Amino acid sequence: MAFDGLELIEPNALYNLLQQATVYSCLSDPNYLLLIDARIKSEYNESHVVTAKKAPKSEGGSFMVPYDAELECKQHIVVYDSNTADLKDVEAPAIACGRLLWEMGSRNPVKILRGGYEEFSALYPFLRTQKILFMPREMDQIKAYPVEIVPGAVYIGNWRQGNAPYIQKDLKIKAHVNVCVEAETFFKDPGPEHCHLQVEDTNDADLLTHFDKACNFIEEHRQKSQAVLVFDHLGISRCATIVIAYLMKHNQWPLMRAYFHVQNCLSTLRPNRAFVQQLSEWEQQLFGAKTTEIADPNF
């Protein structure tokens, strides 16, 4: 049986929640995310997902609401245990803890991590830690990774992320689509294979004529199981437009579906209006008709 107030999320969805940022990581906002580890104390102490708190228990072994949880204020509440795979197991620690948090006042459905810590830590070992307490200044200093659009294959980031060696290593990035005007990166040869699209982020800039080149470059590496990072200066406009165009072409998705998939991964998505118009023209080229109404205020 499934339970009201709970929803299952994939590991990459938690990964992306942890990477949302503007000037600072969204994790520095105390109302953004409550991440709860429902495993036993020894497992939590050995390692856990960064910023996760241990779910407290009563002397009788029942889960309790963490001190100062302020459930009604949290935008996202995520609970994980070792390896829960679905919402049917009433005995699973994550389910029991999640049900309590829902019943005690969470304003949004509590998210249960599919596969638990075992699957998440296998996919993202660099997000494991033994650190239990993060001070506010430490939360401000957390540096986000690129968001993951196609699991293990396609990422969107900013210029800093495109030039950070540890990010290329941790995400196994083998190729870059650089949509900054500047071509320079800090990598010495041989670095990631490079596709440079020298396009300004302005209303008269032309990305449309570069869509085919960029899409083919991304797909070529995806077919070789090589991860690609698409980045621009801020990581919210030009690079996102390229990735939306890629999803439209290679997944055969209409603009609306591709756009909202990327927006679900990247909350700061902000392509300029000219690029949205060019994506609409791309939809016409790919499918012979414009099926997405870009005048919709959601665009």
Side-chain angles (χ1 to χ4, degrees):
M1 61 178 296
F3 300 101
D4 291 340
L6 302 183
E7 64 180 38
L8 200 67
I9 65 166
E10 295 297 314
N12 71 303
L14 174 57
Y15 168 86
N16 283 335
L17 281 176
L18 293 168
Q19 310 316 324
Q20 301 304 308
T22 51
V23 175
Y24 297 105
S25 168
C26 287
L27 297 174
S28 65
D29 177 356
N31 293 327
Y32 172 66
L33 173 66
L34 177 62
L35 179 58
I36 298 294
D37 187 316
R39 299 176 301 157
I40 62 175
K41 185 176 182 180
S42 60
E43 292 175 333
Y44 174 81
N45 289 342
E46 183 177 338
S47 70
H48 50 267
V49 180
V50 63
T51 73
K53 297 180 179 181
K54 174 73 181 74
K57 287 187 173 182
S58 67
E59 291 184 1
S62 299
F63 285 110
M64 300 188 301
V65 177
Y67 175 71
D68 283 346
E70 298 182 329
L71 301 176
E72 70 281 357
C73 298
K74 296 298 186 286
Q75 184 178 350
H76 302 283
I77 298 178
V78 181
V79 183
Y80 66 84
D81 55 22
S82 294
N83 53 20
T84 289
D86 55 48
L87 299 179
K88 300 176 182 178
D89 185 0
V90 67
E91 301 297 330
I95 302 297
C97 183
R99 290 178 66 190
L100 172 69
L101 298 176
W102 169 250
E103 291 166 359
M104 294 303 292
S106 175
R107 65 173 180 170
N108 295 313
V110 175
K111 300 174 176 66
I112 306 299
L113 179 65
R114 186 190 63 76
Y117 183 75
E118 292 179 7
E119 183 163 345
F120 187 86
S121 63
L123 291 169
Y124 310 105
F126 50 90
L127 294 179
R128 296 183 296 198
T129 186
Q130 292 182 322
K131 187 176 180 61
I132 293 174
L133 180 64
F134 286 81
M135 301 302 290
R137 181 176 295 181
E138 292 176 303
M139 298 295 280
D140 288 345
Q141 293 173 346
I142 290 176
K143 298 297 185 184
Y145 279 75
V147 298
E148 187 174 55
I149 306 300
V150 179
V154 181
Y155 297 84
I156 288 177
N158 58 35
W159 187 86
R160 178 195 67 81
Q161 294 164 340
N163 284 278
Y166 74 92
I167 285 179
Q168 320 313 307
K169 177 179 179 291
D170 289 346
L171 297 180
K172 299 179 174 62
I173 301 295
K174 299 300 182 185
H176 284 165
V177 178
N178 176 3
V179 205
C180 300
V181 173
E182 302 81 12
E184 296 84 359
T185 65
F186 295 143
F187 297 103
K188 297 178 181 179
D189 292 333
E193 190 172 343
H194 203 65
C195 173
H196 182 216
L197 309 179
Q198 195 168 23
V199 179
E200 296 273 5
D201 190 4
T202 60
N203 285 328
D204 60 355
D206 175 21
L207 260 182
L208 177 60
T209 57
H210 298 282
F211 284 172
D212 252 327
K213 174 183 177 181
C215 291
N216 292 339
F217 180 86
I218 295 169
E219 182 63 12
E220 174 188 344
H221 288 278
R222 187 178 175 187
Q223 290 299 319
K224 294 187 288 187
S225 299
Q226 295 179 341
V228 181
L229 172 60
V230 187
F231 68 93
D232 61 29
H233 182 62
L234 295 178
I236 61 175
S237 179
R238 288 165 288 181
C239 59
T241 301
I242 291 297
V243 171
I244 292 169
Y246 170 77
L247 295 174
M248 292 171 66
K249 179 174 182 179
H250 289 282
N251 288 8
Q252 291 293 290
W253 287 356
L255 170 54
M256 178 174 287
R257 181 176 179 184
Y259 184 97
F260 287 114
H261 175 81
V262 173
Q263 187 179 61
N264 189 52
C265 300
L266 177 66
S267 63
T268 55
L269 173 66
R270 296 292 186 277
N272 76 42
R273 294 305 301 174
F275 296 156
V276 174
Q277 179 61 49
Q278 290 169 35
L279 286 168
S280 180
E281 295 173 22
W282 182 239
E283 186 176 54
Q284 173 79 48
Q285 291 182 26
L286 291 175
F287 309 119
K290 295 181 180 181
T291 63
T292 301
E293 179 51 69
I294 62 172
D296 188 309
N298 290 317
F299 279 90

